Structure formats: structure tokens, C-alpha cells
Amino acid sequence: MQEFEPEADLILIGKRGEAADFASLHLGSNLERVVRASHKPVLVASRAFKPVSSFLIAYDGGPSAEKAVDHIAGGHLFPGLACRLLMTGQPDAAMKAKLEAAAAKLRAAGYDVTAGIEAGQPDAVIARIVEQEGIGLLVMGAYGHSRIRTLIIGSTTTEMIRSCLIPVMLFR
């Protein structure tokens, strides 16, 4: 990957490796390593192709989420697709301001954006919204914590890749 990454715009990888049929909830052993090493967006493909008509950005206001918003607003990846910008947690003035700034950036780039804050655990809220709204692609920051913290506490990134049956585009 490191050899070809400088010339690539995007890294595309599957969720699972050779043993995919035997362990449907397990992710491939190289997935996290590739995402953590990449300086480019990583698209984790879903098993079955479905046309994408809308995408959701799981937005937490952090650097990787900002990178995702900037990348989408500055490029031509998703023309004509509806955008759902979602924050989770208890809303406060700072969260609302960051969310509205991100929504404004996407709107200025021509996207039809629905932005909001939903209370609850990020992995549960994101999965519910993806299912309820028929979202076709999830965009999010990836692995914002160290491997040790992820091992002890768990990872929203890993849970989203595992539980969502749609492609997931990750930014670091």
C-alpha cells in the first residue's frame, strides 16, 4: 500500500479477508492497520453493491471529521447526493456552532445538507439513522484513539464497519 498510496486518491479495501464466510462479524486482520497507516481516505466496501443516493457524515468536530468535511466540500465525490450531517451526544453551544459551520461549508459546495444532533451512544445512534433513513454510504473519522485505548474500551470505527451493511469511508 505504501508504494502505491502517493499516486492514489483513495484506498479501497474489503471488510474481511479469506475467512469471511466463516466469521461474518469479524473484520480482516489488515483493515485497521491499513486505515491507521493511510494518509488518504479509505473506502471499506460492503459485500453487496447498491447504488448510493445519500450519505451520512458522522461528525464529532474533531480533526478527522473536519478532514472528511473539507475533502467532500472541496471535491466532486458525491454530486447530487443528499447529505446527512450527524453529531451525537448532549448538544451544547460549541457543538451546535461546529455542526452549523460544517453544514454551511457543505452547502456552499452545493450539497443538500440535513444537520442535527442526536442524544445517545454514537455507534447505536449512527446505526439506527443509517437503517431508518436508508443511507447508502457512511463517512467518518477513523480510530481517533490509541490502539491500547481501543483494545480496552472498544472502537466506534470498528463497530460501525462491523454493523453497517453499507460502504464506510474513513478519514484520519
Side-chain angles (χ1 to χ4, degrees), residues 16-86:
R16 294 181 273 284
E18 294 176 306
D21 292 334
F22 302 112
S24 63
L25 292 178
H26 292 265
L27 300 178
S29 60
N30 291 314
L31 178 63
E32 182 178 351
R33 187 174 23 245
V34 167
V35 173
R36 283 187 184 275
S38 179
H39 296 86
K40 302 288 174 81
V42 176
L43 179 64
V44 182
S46 58
R47 191 171 189 117
F49 173 78
K50 293 180 192 168
V52 175
S53 60
S54 64
F55 64 99
L56 182 146
I57 301 174
Y59 182 78
D60 63 2
S64 59
E66 290 294 339
K67 186 175 180 180
V69 168
D70 289 344
H71 189 87
I72 292 167
H76 304 287
L77 284 177
F78 310 124
L81 299 185
C83 174
R84 175 76 148 94
L85 187 62
L86 176 68

Side-chain angles (χ1 to χ4, degrees), residues 56 125-135 138 164-166:
L56 182 146
V125 171
I126 294 166
R128 178 177 52 81
I129 298 291
V130 163
E131 181 69 26
Q132 283 179 348
E133 298 183 13
I135 300 293
L138 173 60
C164 290
L165 302 177
I166 60 173

Side-chain angles (χ1 to χ4, degrees), residues 101-172:
K105 189 178 290 186
L106 291 163
R107 286 183 185 117
Y111 288 98
D112 178 20
V113 179
T114 302
I117 302 172
E118 299 269 341
Q121 288 296 104
D123 52 350
V125 171
I126 294 166
R128 178 177 52 81
I129 298 291
V130 163
E131 181 69 26
Q132 283 179 348
E133 298 183 13
I135 300 293
L137 173 72
L138 173 60
V139 178
M140 63 185 292
Y143 302 112
H145 301 291
S146 72
R147 288 182 189 210
I148 293 173
R149 185 175 190 275
T150 297
L151 179 65
I152 296 168
I153 297 174
S155 167
T156 300
T157 305
T158 298
E159 185 54 35
M160 293 293 81
I161 295 169
R162 183 180 289 128
S163 65
C164 290
L165 302 177
I166 60 173
V168 180
M169 182 174 280
L170 302 170
F171 288 82
R172 286 218 6 109

